[in-house]
Amino acid sequence: MDVRSLTERAMRQIVASREKDGPYRSAADLLARVRLSREEAENLALAGALDSLAANRPAALWQVHAALSAPCPRGPLFEGACDPAEAPAGPDLADYSPLQKLLLEEHLLGMTPSANPMAIYRPTLTSNSSPPQERREVLPIADLSSHAGEQAAVAGILFAERRARTKNGEFMKFISLEDETGVVEAVLLPDAYQRLGGRLTTRGPYVATGSVENHLGAISLIVTDLRLIQPAGKREAPAPAPVNS
């Protein structure tokens, strides 16, 4: 798992120092032992890599800024001049919301180790059918097997896609959607692919509506509608704030 902007040199030094001198005791201790740029240190804090060194990610970020503002001197002449483990804990800062953490992890890691995104998005989901009286509950993917032959809506993260041609030479697409309960292959037949394929621009999450098929125990969804979920909270992703020294 790579952290955005973290160089291979920095990664090797972090591991080597931990193996040689033991676990890091604080963000200041990390920065005293390993030369990191401001961006590298901030990204480690925001991605959750320093969670064990602070009360939460905003607190870890505060410690990073404090250590960068007043770093411990290096070299044998300054040995014992300051103890990074005794760096000030900082103010009592509110933690980021689960959605903010997911957005940061997706940006900085390309994945979301703290939680499956659908566990965060699910409470806000409704299917995109209209008119309102036709709206369907968005089902967990694991529940699709009990709805074979019916219309259903599911939501999930896009983690695989494959375009294919029919015997008539028309394009169609297979997409794999994953939520916190399982995975389903959703099929965009040529008509649906022409209408909806352009909506597949990111990993999602997406709400997919269609008919549920059970072929010898393999569950699939023949998609008739697809939409990208754009929660209002997506605008709330935190940005590093300077620390007053």
Side-chain angles (χ1 to χ4, degrees), residues 72-117:
C72 288
R74 299 171 181 267
L77 293 177
F78 300 100
E79 187 172 352
C82 67
D83 185 354
E86 297 180 359
D92 186 14
L93 300 172
D95 199 2
Y96 299 139
S97 70
L99 178 57
Q100 288 175 319
K101 290 180 182 179
L102 289 184
L103 294 172
L104 285 167
E105 290 169 4
E106 177 68 29
H107 175 66
L108 296 172
L109 303 173
M111 61 183 69
T112 56
S114 68
N116 186 291

Side-chain angles (χ1 to χ4, degrees), residues 1 3 23-24 36 52 54 71 95 109-110 121 155 164 169 219 224:
M1 183 187 305
V3 178
Y24 297 104
L36 298 174
S52 64
D95 199 2
L109 303 173
Y121 288 113
I219 302 298
T224 56

Side-chain angles (χ1 to χ4, degrees), residues 21-68:
D21 298 318
Y24 297 104
R25 299 168 294 170
S26 68
D29 185 30
L30 170 65
L31 292 171
R33 290 160 57 178
V34 180
R35 292 187 180 276
L36 298 174
S37 69
R38 185 182 188 87
E39 183 180 14
E40 288 176 322
E42 288 177 346
N43 286 354
L44 284 171
L46 291 170
L50 308 186
D51 282 0
S52 64
L53 305 180
N56 54 39
R57 295 184 197 185
L61 187 61
W62 189 96
Q63 289 184 20
V64 164
H65 289 162
L68 291 173

